[in-house]
Amino acid sequence: MKQFTYTITDPVGIHARPAGLLVKAAKGLDSAVTIAREDGKSAAATKLMALMGLGIKQGDTVSVTLEGGNEDANAQALEQFFQENL
């Protein structure tokens, strides 16, 4: 299991467009990816409506957990995705 945290910088948080991009990126990995808010609510990164339902806003810190597959490479790719898109 590999995990990292990220503070959202997008002015509107994880809304439809970046959530869709995140789902697409997560589906392309061979790891199971879970996004969790600081209050413990979480969702699979491959579920668009569940991600949007978390209500993640700018300034929120999320934990990203990857399990299975090539966790190191997948975590690095997702960290880069978050920096470029969220």
Side-chain angles (χ1 to χ4, degrees), residues 13-55:
I14 298 183
H15 58 95
R17 183 192 55 80
L21 293 173
L22 177 55
V23 167
K24 186 175 180 180
K27 284 184 177 181
L29 303 175
D30 63 351
S31 295
V33 181
T34 305
I35 310 293
R37 295 184 345 174
E38 290 178 315
D39 66 2
K41 289 185 179 179
S42 65
T46 55
K47 307 288 184 191
L48 179 65
M49 296 309 289
L51 272 179
M52 291 174 54
L54 292 176

